């Protein structure tokens, strides 16, 4: 498979991951553009549009998200590995077909269609120089120039971003660093570091990142590199998930068995209660450790305080989700209290 074909194929897998797209918007698109967008409402929309005449345009990814006001935003992502001269015209056509395909059901309470953010993410080796203004292709002094649309998309040139300014613990930052690693060994180290804080439920994103490395980064930048470190990394991910699953099963079984054993000595009801308490304490310890590793020691201690005395397993799950979903310690601590209400 050619690198460009691999970029199209595996890039679509990456931008099909909601947390990956959320980190792209959260960390790399100015908030004044997105407004108070609720990243937790991101949901995928089919990125293939057919207008009334049967014409078809295919985007790499399309997402819809809500604002608290009731308005919505469509995010159209195009992943490019080469400078396309007519990218502005192409994106303009995709946006036009998208709007033509929308029905009245897509309108907000005020009767407006969602705004669209067309975003081009460039991963090529050279500097991005594709024109984002289709009006620049005609004579601006021509009286008809006013009828030519202006800027068509926002461009993110992954290779030109300052590494020191990348937001930490951000999935798109991981993607950018992959393209800036000075060696294959450094690339493997960067990935291993990222996999340590990615959520346990993000197996598909880990696989997509590894496939992107195999199909795009290594052939393009380190074609002669040894692939064994990356193969071992993939095996480690699988082994870790298997251990977590096994540990979860053992945790509940251990609590049940302790309850039975202690029940024989102290009475069934008292023993079972004690076994459940021990199981919950172990769960608190694990969540405290995970929060400390991702957001620092104070966050871990806060988890222990909030979950103290909580017996509802759903609340434990909510805290686990927050550890995965939140992008910063401030966001995590701000939402933590509500998770245990």
């Amino acid at each position: 498979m050619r690198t460009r074909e691999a970029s199209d194929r595996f890039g679509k897998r990456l931008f099909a991951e909601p947390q990956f797209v959320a980190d792209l918007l959260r960390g790399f698109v100015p908030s004044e553009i997105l407004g108070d967008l609720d990243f937790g409402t991101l949901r995928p929309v089919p990125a293939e549009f057919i207008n009334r005449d049967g014409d078809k345009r295919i985007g790499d990814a399309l997402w819809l998200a809500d604002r608290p006001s009731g308005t919505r935003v469509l995010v159209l992502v195009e992943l490019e590995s080469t400078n396309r001269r007519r990218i502005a015209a192409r994106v303009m056509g995709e946006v036009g077909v998208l709007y033509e395909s929308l029905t009245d059901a897509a309108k907000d309470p005020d009767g407006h269609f969602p705004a669209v953010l067309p975003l081009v993410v460039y991963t090529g080796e050279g500097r991005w120089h594709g024109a984002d203004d289709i009006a620049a292709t005609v004579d601006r002094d021509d009286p008809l120039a006013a009828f030519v649309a202006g800027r068509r998309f926002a461009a993110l040139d992954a290779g030109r971003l300052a590494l020191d300014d990348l937001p930490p613990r951000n999935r798109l930052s991981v993607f950018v660093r992959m393209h800036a690693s000075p060696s294959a060994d450094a690339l493997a180290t960067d990935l291993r570091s990222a996999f340590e804080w990615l959520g346990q439920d993000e197996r598909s994103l880990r696989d997509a990142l590894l496939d992107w490395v195999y199909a795009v980064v290594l052939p393009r930048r380190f074609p002669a590199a040894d692939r064994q470190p990356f193969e071992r990394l993939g095996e480690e991910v699988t082994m870790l998930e298997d251990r977590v699953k096994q540990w979860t099963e053992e945790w509940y079984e251990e609590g049940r068995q302790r309850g039975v054993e202690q029940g024989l000595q102290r009475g069934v009801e008292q023993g079972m209660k004690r076994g459940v308490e021990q199981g919950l304490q172990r769960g608190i310890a694990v969540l405290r450790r995970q929060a400390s590793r991702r957001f620092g020691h104070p966050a871990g201690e806060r988890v222990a305080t909030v979950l103290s005395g909580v017996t509802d397993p759903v609340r434990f799950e909510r805290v686990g989700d927050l550890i995965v979903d939140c992008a910063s310690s401030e966001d995590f601590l701000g939402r933590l209290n509500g998770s245990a209400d």
Side-chain angles (χ1 to χ4, degrees), residues 250-270:
E250 291 176 351
W251 174 25
Y252 286 106
E253 180 62 21
E254 180 181 341
R256 190 185 71 82
Q257 288 293 337
R258 286 184 179 180
V260 172
E261 293 170 0
Q262 295 172 7
L264 295 175
Q265 300 173 8
R266 307 178 188 177
V268 173
E269 182 176 350
Q270 181 182 0

Side-chain angles (χ1 to χ4, degrees), residues 130-177:
D132 63 0
D133 187 352
I134 196 171
T137 63
V138 302
D139 182 359
R140 293 184 182 274
D141 295 329
D142 192 298
L144 297 179
F147 293 95
V148 180
R151 194 176 187 190
R152 289 290 101 196
F153 61 88
L156 179 66
D157 188 345
R160 306 280 82 81
L161 295 173
L163 299 184
D164 291 341
D165 295 335
L166 294 177
R169 295 185 181 275
N170 180 288
R171 293 156 183 81
L172 206 282
S173 294
V174 175
F175 181 74
V176 172
R177 289 186 181 278

Side-chain angles (χ1 to χ4, degrees), residues 197-303:
W197 60 261
L198 284 175
Q200 296 297 337
D201 60 342
E202 295 184 79
R203 171 65 183 274
S204 60
L205 177 56
R206 290 189 183 90
D207 288 344
L209 287 170
L210 279 172
D211 286 342
W212 179 266
V213 167
Y214 286 132
V216 178
V217 181
L218 290 180
R220 181 186 295 170
R221 303 192 64 229
F222 313 111
D226 182 5
R227 298 196 172 202
Q228 286 190 353
F230 301 97
E231 294 170 358
R232 287 197 297 269
L233 182 57
E235 293 171 356
E236 290 171 7
V237 170
T238 301
M239 291 174 60
L240 175 61
E241 293 184 341
D242 291 342
R243 285 199 300 270
V244 170
K245 181 180 179 181
Q246 180 182 1
W247 174 87
T248 303
E249 295 172 350
E250 291 176 351
W251 174 25
Y252 286 106
E253 180 62 21
E254 180 181 341
R256 190 185 71 82
Q257 288 293 337
R258 286 184 179 180
V260 172
E261 293 170 0
Q262 295 172 7
L264 295 175
Q265 300 173 8
R266 307 178 188 177
V268 173
E269 182 176 350
Q270 181 182 0
M272 289 296 292
K273 181 179 179 181
R274 178 61 178 169
V276 170
E277 289 175 352
Q278 291 174 342
L280 292 173
Q281 289 302 316
R282 187 170 181 181
I284 291 174
V286 171
L287 291 174
R288 178 173 58 186
R289 184 170 67 252
Q290 291 176 338
S292 296
R293 288 184 62 182
R294 182 164 189 196
F295 301 116
H297 180 71
E301 294 306 306
R302 185 58 184 161
V303 165

Side-chain angles (χ1 to χ4, degrees), residues 21-33:
V21 175
D23 275 2
L24 163 66
L25 299 176
R26 186 185 289 115
F28 296 87
V29 179
S31 58
E32 56 267 26
I33 293 179

